[in-house]
Amino acid sequence: MACGRAARLAGRQIIVVSSGAVALGADALKMKSATASLAQKQALAAVGQSRLMNLYEQGFGKYGLTAAQVLLT
C-alpha cells in the first residue's frame, strides 16, 4: 500500500478490481460457493459485498486513502 500512496501523491489514480464478494458471503453463511446456483451466488455476493468494502475501507484508510465501489455485471 505504501507504493500506492506514493503513486497517488505523484498524481496517479489507482483502480483495484476484485471479485471476492461471493467468497466472503459464502464464508459468512457457512456455504460452499462452488456448488451454488447462480441465484445463490448472487445472494452470497449481496452478503459478501459489504464485508469486502469494509476490508477495503480498513486497509486503504490506514494510508489516508478512500475506498469506493462501482458494481459491474
Side-chain angles (χ1 to χ4, degrees), residues 1-7 14 16 55-56 58-63 65:
M1 291 274 192
C3 60
R5 184 173 183 176
I14 300 168
V16 177
L55 290 171
Y56 278 124
Q58 289 177 19
F60 283 101
K62 291 178 184 177
Y63 299 95
L65 300 173

Side-chain angles (χ1 to χ4, degrees), residues 2-58:
C3 60
R5 184 173 183 176
R8 183 172 168 246
L9 292 173
R12 295 193 176 123
Q13 292 183 346
I14 300 168
I15 298 172
V16 177
V17 178
S18 68
S19 58
V22 172
L24 287 171
D27 184 61
L29 298 177
K30 309 293 188 243
M31 293 180 62
K32 293 186 178 184
S33 62
T35 58
S37 68
L38 176 60
Q40 288 171 323
K41 286 180 181 178
Q42 289 172 323
L44 293 174
V47 170
Q49 185 61 35
S50 61
R51 288 162 171 77
L52 182 62
M53 283 307 302
N54 187 298
L55 290 171
Y56 278 124
E57 288 173 353
Q58 289 177 19

